[in-house]
Amino acid sequence: MKIDTKLVHGCRGFEPNTGAISFPIYQSATFRHPGPNQSTGYDYTRVKNPTREELENTLACLETGGHGFAFSSGMAAVATVMELFSHGDHIIVSDDLYGGTYRLFEEIGRKHGLEFTYSDTTDLRSVKESLKKNTKGIFIETPSNPMMKVTDIKGIIEIARNQGALSIIDNTFLTPLYQRPLELGADIVLHSGTKYLGGHNDTLAGFIVVDNGVLAEKIQLIQKSVGAILAPFDSWLILRGIKTLSVRMERLQTNALKIANWLKDCKDVEKVFYVGLPGHEGYEISKSQASGFGGMISFRVKSIESIERILSRVRIIAFAESLGGVESLITYPIAQTHTAIPKEMREKLGVDEKLLRLSVGIESAEDLILDLEQAMNG
Ligand SMILES: *Cc1c(COP(=O)(O)O)cnc(C)c1O
């Protein structure tokens, strides 16, 4: 079955008892047992809930892994993956990544005795040089946030395998529609479901998908013990969002390409970072491992005054953090999503005071361009 069909129908596509096409919201914390030592298969919602289960199976099916897990946020999913590691373990991490993930590693992971090296994972040599005896994981984001750097997923998987370390891929930006790391051999795929999977800027969610049964058992134990699970209603919202993922992605990608091309010729803009532009450094690798480029664009303006002007004058595009929804959002990474990253590290990457990040929505591209134009020029 093609992924476009899987997206619409989900794992089962309907509820077998009633035939309900929209999978019901099982808003129940607990479940009656028929008798001693008997269970319907559901005991308590922290452990298993039918609505969440349908969503978890849907994610597993989309990422072509055997096991999906849904969490209350993307960060809860990342934190769960970190529980797989022990005191003294070393993890190599993409140097350009979501600020909240960096904060979790530095503020919480380090406290638990984990060691992190931030490496330019687009350069496999630099990743190999960062390996240590105790390296137990390689964590990448590709394309990365906000510099849109593309990492060779297969190359990373090979390095991780040779080391006996887990390869972990945050697949938030491209979604299983465009990129499926498990098919390339990755151990763990992560998502902030808050973004494209939900798609409407209304629900927080996070996911882990794995294919390995032993790994799945460990994650399930952490999920039910820690309890950062996704609620039944939120599970339903994400299930509904996923149904339109394919049409949303197609539209916003078309919009993104038009906007990136317009920005490229804009007199106030110094540089545009969009993976779908043939001049982008990661364009070729992206084409070899993903079937789409997505809708995230970063751009550097020539003057700070432009930042002030754009952020205070955009009308259709909202100045807000987050991404992946039907509404276009513009973000100022140094003041919003990446405040946790130290200045020297940010500047080395290019995340500076002149960089803006645009999450392109499904509005008319023409209106979005007009909005940016009036904001820049007044
Ligand atoms: C937003 C985001 C996260 C965190 O997810 P939340 O749902 O906000 O907790 C992690 N990784 C990436 C790439 C993100 O964009």
Side-chain angles (χ1 to χ4, degrees), residues 148-166:
M148 313 298 157
K149 298 203 299 190
V150 181
T151 292
D152 174 353
I153 300 176
K154 273 194 188 152
I156 291 293
I157 291 168
E158 199 188 314
I159 296 172
R161 247 194 215 146
N162 289 338
Q163 169 80 12
L166 291 171

Side-chain angles (χ1 to χ4, degrees), residues 71-78 97-101 139 141-145 170-173 190-195 203-206 296 322-323 337 357:
F71 299 87
S72 52
S73 69
M75 289 321 302
V78 180
L97 87 162
Y98 177 65
T101 304
F139 184 109
E141 238 181 65
T142 181
S144 64
N145 185 357
D170 183 333
N171 202 27
T172 301
F173 272 28
L190 274 171
H191 281 280
S192 166
T194 312
K195 314 296 167 56
T203 315
L204 295 192
M296 293 302 297
S322 201
L323 61 104
T337 49
R357 190 191 74 185

Side-chain angles (χ1 to χ4, degrees), residues 216-279:
E217 267 177 39
K218 289 184 188 169
I219 292 166
Q220 190 173 26
L221 177 79
I222 302 165
Q223 185 192 35
K224 75 175 179 194
S225 306
V226 176
I229 45 99
L230 193 63
F233 180 60
D234 289 355
S235 297
W236 181 84
L237 282 168
I238 304 289
L239 272 172
R240 185 165 74 161
I242 287 174
K243 286 175 188 287
T244 55
L245 183 71
S246 170
V247 284
R248 284 188 281 111
M249 291 302 281
E250 236 171 76
R251 168 62 165 267
L252 62 86
Q253 173 167 280
T254 308
N255 282 354
L257 188 60
K258 286 182 189 162
I259 294 169
N261 273 311
W262 179 80
L263 282 169
K264 204 162 50 88
D265 299 330
C266 209
K267 65 171 179 17
D268 295 330
V269 175
E270 187 185 291
K271 189 159 177 171
V272 180
F273 305 86
Y274 179 58
V275 183
L277 289 176

Side-chain angles (χ1 to χ4, degrees), residues 59-252:
L59 252 291
C61 171
L62 296 173
E63 288 284 5
T64 66
H67 314 270
F69 302 90
F71 299 87
S72 52
S73 69
M75 289 321 302
V78 180
T80 298
V81 168
M82 286 304 112
E83 293 293 339
L84 292 169
F85 297 98
S86 306
H87 197 278
D89 287 354
H90 172 244
I91 302 161
I92 298 172
V93 184
S94 294
D95 55 4
D96 184 40
L97 87 162
Y98 177 65
T101 304
Y102 177 84
R103 185 176 55 218
L104 177 81
F105 293 171
E106 290 301 302
E107 302 291 332
I108 317 281
R110 275 195 197 281
K111 206 174 65 184
H112 295 315
L114 301 181
E115 240 186 274
F116 301 91
T117 299
Y118 299 91
S119 162
D120 178 1
T121 53
T122 65
D123 176 7
L124 296 178
R125 246 188 339 190
S126 134
V127 176
K128 280 188 196 145
E129 281 164 13
S130 306
L131 286 170
K132 294 185 185 185
K133 263 215 211 85
N134 56 337
T135 303
K136 296 289 168 62
I138 305 183
F139 184 109
I140 63 165
E141 238 181 65
T142 181
S144 64
N145 185 357
M147 298 311 294
M148 313 298 157
K149 298 203 299 190
V150 181
T151 292
D152 174 353
I153 300 176
K154 273 194 188 152
I156 291 293
I157 291 168
E158 199 188 314
I159 296 172
R161 247 194 215 146
N162 289 338
Q163 169 80 12
L166 291 171
S167 48
I168 306 156
I169 290 102
D170 183 333
N171 202 27
T172 301
F173 272 28
L174 289 186
T175 82
L177 176 68
Y178 288 153
Q179 182 167 277
R180 289 184 292 282
L182 294 180
E183 288 181 0
L184 303 174
D187 295 307
I188 300 177
V189 169
L190 274 171
H191 281 280
S192 166
T194 312
K195 314 296 167 56
Y196 292 105
L197 295 172
H200 294 76
N201 288 322
D202 57 10
T203 315
L204 295 192
F207 296 99
I208 298 174
V209 186
V210 298
D211 199 39
N212 178 300
V214 177
L215 206 48
E217 267 177 39
K218 289 184 188 169
I219 292 166
Q220 190 173 26
L221 177 79
I222 302 165
Q223 185 192 35
K224 75 175 179 194
S225 306
V226 176
I229 45 99
L230 193 63
F233 180 60
D234 289 355
S235 297
W236 181 84
L237 282 168
I238 304 289
L239 272 172
R240 185 165 74 161
I242 287 174
K243 286 175 188 287
T244 55
L245 183 71
S246 170
V247 284
R248 284 188 281 111
M249 291 302 281
E250 236 171 76
R251 168 62 165 267
L252 62 86

